[in-house]
């Protein structure tokens, strides 16, 4: 895909082989945009570099920002980050837009050579990062992370971030993506409901299933997730169980497309135990619901446990009754787990700068302002979510959910893990979403689930047209 002399037939064959038609517009991008960074971009704005302008931004150049209008909304951009950029460059005009369908909205523009400068590439319909990198569409952020930070010029931007942040957006040695929100994942519940019912938060798998029986007897759905658009919430906890049992290398092997990674005993055992949860404690009607519909059921006291990330509290703010008090627990530990206190937590919510846009230096400076203390605090206060800026939450009165998430993260210590295949190989993510629903709603068993995923991983590994990543 990155060779300029590819024939149209070759490009289309590679697109189909990579599964990029899962998002219809993705095939259009891959067929129309080649070059892998070799094509000359449009005329790009550039100013003089100095201590006040370390990235060499043209202060008169316009900047276009596109935000995913999901759980975090767009107010943090319009009310916090964009004003910070404007304060530094008063003459710069910022064109702002927001959408819930990033790929559908932006693929034609990338294909046509007119990408926006800055993109929040998130949501169900995000653009495939692997393809964007192959096509030379993403700006290398090395210069940004090496630049002086806004708050302390003696520190590089990278020195102000939570450990692992830069790595989380690095592809084969180069940082192309800023993952801005530090997210804690687990099983979310209402502290009020548990207090009213006298339920104790379980730490072990045996206690978990015992409590689910009690909840079921009380006429409440013990466990739920949205099968229509959020099965990835559920596959995360399946893989978290596998990592707790077999160690973080379980996820590293999956990321690296290692032989037999999906059929490892720890993965099979995790799939089997979660399939049992699906069979005994879920409402099959939830397969046809979207995430906000299931989350509303939890707010109404109809669902006890829900798998999600620490954005949940903010996303449900308008529907959450007074005193509900979100809290989170890690995936419960098995009797012989390698990491009994292990937790899935990582920098997420991806942003990138367009390498072929008209103002990539402005895009990087926009990121630099996001990574300032003011930028991070503003985001935290609006969205009740931690950022990747170390210590930015200090001095802020945290919400119940975020207080719980912070406590769980602290308790996990060094036992924090994550995976990256979902952004590296969109085809694998798509297959896993479908397989997860089949597993949890009783159409496939654990062996079939693991064999299906291993077959897909092997196919991706064998396809020479797909750029491979490793860690």
């Amino acid at each position: 895909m990155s060779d300029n002399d590819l024939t149209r037939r070759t490009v289309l064959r590679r697109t189909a082989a990579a599964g990029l038609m899962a998002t219809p517009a993705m095939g259009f991008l891959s067929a129309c945009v080649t070059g892998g960074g070799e094509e000359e971009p449009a005329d790009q704005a550039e100013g003089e570099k100095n201590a006040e302008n370390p990235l060499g931004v043209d202060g008169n150049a316009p900047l276009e920002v596109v935000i995913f209008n999901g759980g975090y909304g767009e107010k943090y951009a319009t009310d916090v980050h964009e004003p910070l950029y404007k304060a530094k460059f008063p003459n710069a005009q910022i064109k702002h837009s927001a959408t819930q369908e990033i790929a559908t909205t932006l693929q034609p523009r990338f294909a046509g050579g007119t990408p926006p400068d800055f993109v929040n590439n998130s949501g169900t319909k995000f653009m495939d990062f692997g393809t964007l990198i192959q096509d030379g569409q993403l700006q290398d952020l090395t210069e940004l992370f090496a630049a002086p930070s806004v708050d302390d010029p003696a520190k590089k931007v990278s020195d102000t971030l939570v450990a692992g942040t830069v790595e989380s957006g690095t592809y084969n040695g180069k940082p192309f993506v800023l993952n801005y929100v530090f997210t804690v994942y687990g099983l979310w519940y209402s502290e009020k409901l548990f207090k009213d019912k006298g339920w104790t938060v379980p730490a072990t798998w045996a206690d978990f299933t015992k409590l689910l029986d009690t909840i079921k007897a009380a006429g409440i759905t013990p466990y739920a997730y949205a099968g229509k658009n959020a099965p990835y919430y559920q596959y995360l906890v399946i893989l978290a169980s596998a990592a707790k049992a077999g160690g973080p290398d379980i996820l590293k092997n999956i990321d690296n497309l290692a032989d037999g990674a999906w059929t490892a005993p720890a993965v099979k055992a995790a799939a089997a135990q979660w399939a049992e949860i699906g069979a005994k404690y879920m409402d099959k009607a939830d397969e046809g619901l979207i995430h906000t519909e299931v989350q509303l059921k939890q707010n109404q006291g109809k669902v006890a446990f829900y798998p999600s990330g620490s954005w949940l509290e903010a996303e449900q703010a308008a529907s959450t009754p007074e005193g509900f008090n979100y809290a989170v627990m890690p995936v419960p530990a098995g009797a012989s787990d390698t990491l009994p206190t292990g937790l899935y937590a990582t920098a997420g919510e991806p942003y990138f700068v367009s390498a072929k846009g008209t103002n990539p230096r402005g895009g990087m400076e926009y990121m630099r302002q996001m990574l300032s203390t003011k930028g991070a605090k503003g985001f935290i206060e609006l969205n009740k979510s931690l950022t990747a800026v170390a210590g930015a939450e200090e001095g802020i009165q945290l919400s119940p959910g975020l207080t719980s998430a912070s406590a769980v993260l602290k308790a996990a210590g060094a036992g924090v893990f994550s995976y990256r295949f979902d952004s590296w190989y969109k085809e694998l993510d798509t297959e896993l979403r479908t397989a997860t629903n089949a597993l949890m709603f009783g159409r496939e068993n654990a062996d079939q689930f693991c064999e299906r995923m291993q077959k897909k991983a092997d196919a991706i590994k064998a396809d020479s047209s797909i750029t491979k990543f490793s860690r």
Side-chain angles (χ1 to χ4, degrees):
M1 250 177 240
S2 60
D3 301 323
N4 286 325
D5 59 350
L6 288 178
T7 65
R8 183 174 183 276
R9 177 180 296 179
T10 303
V11 173
L12 291 174
R13 175 172 56 79
R14 288 187 175 186
T15 299
L20 300 176
M21 292 299 182
T23 301
M26 181 58 69
F28 180 65
L29 171 65
S30 297
C32 297
V33 179
T34 60
E38 297 172 11
E39 292 180 347
E40 286 297 320
D43 289 340
Q44 295 182 324
E46 188 169 355
E48 180 182 350
K49 289 185 180 181
N50 53 50
E52 294 298 317
N53 187 14
L55 294 172
V57 177
D58 179 349
N60 296 312
L63 180 75
E64 184 176 3
V65 174
V66 179
I67 299 296
F68 168 64
N69 195 5
Y72 299 120
E74 59 179 309
K75 196 175 179 65
Y76 71 90
T78 58
D79 292 12
V80 180
H81 298 154
E82 290 171 16
L84 287 174
Y85 187 90
K86 282 285 289 183
K88 188 167 183 63
F89 302 108
N91 294 330
Q93 296 299 312
I94 296 178
K95 179 182 179 182
H96 171 96
S97 62
T99 177
Q100 292 187 342
E101 297 188 356
I102 290 291
T104 304
T105 303
L106 296 184
Q107 298 283 16
R109 293 191 55 188
F110 278 86
T114 60
D117 301 303
F118 178 91
V119 178
N120 173 202
N121 187 33
S122 188
T124 300
K125 296 183 178 180
F126 67 96
M127 292 182 288
D128 181 68
F129 283 104
T131 300
L132 289 167
I133 292 168
Q134 283 178 296
D135 291 339
Q137 297 287 349
L138 302 193
Q139 177 74 24
D140 183 344
L141 301 177
T142 299
E143 190 175 355
L144 163 69
F145 292 124
S149 67
V150 172
D151 299 296
D152 183 358
K155 289 184 177 180
K156 296 185 294 185
V157 170
S158 60
D159 294 336
T160 68
L161 307 180
V162 176
T165 300
V166 176
E167 181 190 5
S168 73
T170 296
Y171 294 72
N172 290 347
K174 288 186 177 182
F176 288 108
V177 177
L178 168 63
N179 288 307
Y180 186 63
V181 182
F182 200 83
T183 304
V184 173
Y185 296 82
L187 308 184
W188 292 80
Y189 61 95
S190 165
E191 280 188 330
K192 182 180 186 302
L193 176 64
F194 272 54
K195 183 178 180 180
D196 290 348
K197 298 291 186 180
W199 297 335
T200 301
V201 178
T204 68
W205 193 264
D207 288 342
F208 179 55
T209 54
K210 184 178 179 180
L211 177 59
L212 295 185
D213 285 328
T214 300
I215 294 170
K216 186 175 181 179
I220 297 171
T221 301
Y223 186 87
Y225 78 92
K228 186 172 183 179
N229 74 332
Y232 58 102
Y233 290 8
Q234 177 57 32
Y235 80 55
L236 186 148
V237 296
I238 295 173
L239 293 179
S241 289
K244 287 171 78 96
D249 280 353
I250 290 290
L251 303 184
K252 185 176 181 180
N253 291 339
I254 287 175
D255 283 345
N256 291 342
L257 304 177
D259 294 342
W262 285 96
T263 55
V267 180
K268 282 191 176 182
Q273 68 183 16
W274 279 105
E276 185 176 359
I277 299 299
K280 292 184 177 180
Y281 305 112
M282 286 174 51
D283 182 348
K284 291 189 181 300
D286 290 340
E287 186 172 13
L289 301 184
I290 65 172
H291 65 297
T292 50
E293 292 172 324
V294 177
Q295 288 162 194
L296 179 60
K297 288 171 65 175
Q298 186 181 40
N299 292 152
Q300 296 169 339
K302 299 175 182 178
V303 168
F305 286 109
Y306 179 77
S308 190
S310 47
W311 65 77
L312 176 64
E313 184 178 43
E315 186 172 43
Q316 289 302 107
S319 304
T320 306
E322 185 72 25
F324 182 89
N325 286 9
Y326 272 108
V328 64
M329 58 169 271
V331 172
S336 59
D337 276 3
T338 301
L339 289 173
T341 61
L343 178 73
Y344 191 106
T346 186
E349 195 64 12
Y351 299 78
F352 69 78
V353 175
S354 300
K356 298 180 181 180
T358 59
N359 194 5
R361 295 196 167 276
M364 288 193 289
E365 178 62 33
Y366 186 90
M367 281 187 174
R368 184 169 166 265
Q369 295 299 322
M370 289 174 65
L371 296 172
S372 68
T373 299
K374 283 185 179 180
K377 281 186 180 295
F379 184 94
I380 294 169
E381 289 169 344
L382 281 172
N383 283 302
K384 301 178 183 178
S385 295
L386 300 173
T387 71
V389 179
E393 70 277 10
E394 294 178 7
I396 298 175
Q397 185 174 355
L398 300 179
S399 63
L402 206 54
T403 299
S404 175
S406 298
V408 167
L409 181 61
K410 184 177 181 180
V416 173
F417 47 74
S418 62
Y419 50 70
R420 296 168 67 186
F421 70 87
D422 55 331
S423 61
W424 288 353
Y425 308 112
K426 194 171 192 302
E427 182 183 4
L428 196 60
D429 164 73
T430 300
E431 183 74 6
L432 185 53
R433 294 180 189 219
T434 304
T436 296
N437 278 348
L439 176 75
M440 295 300 296
F441 291 99
R443 295 186 294 278
E444 290 184 2
N445 61 32
D447 286 337
Q448 292 169 318
F449 170 85
C450 292
E451 289 165 6
R452 174 179 184 169
M453 292 312 304
Q454 189 61 55
K455 181 179 179 181
K456 178 60 65 174
D458 290 344
I460 292 171
K461 185 176 182 179
D463 190 337
S464 61
S465 73
I466 299 176
T467 298
K468 308 304 189 298
F469 303 100
S470 64
R471 67 182 181 103

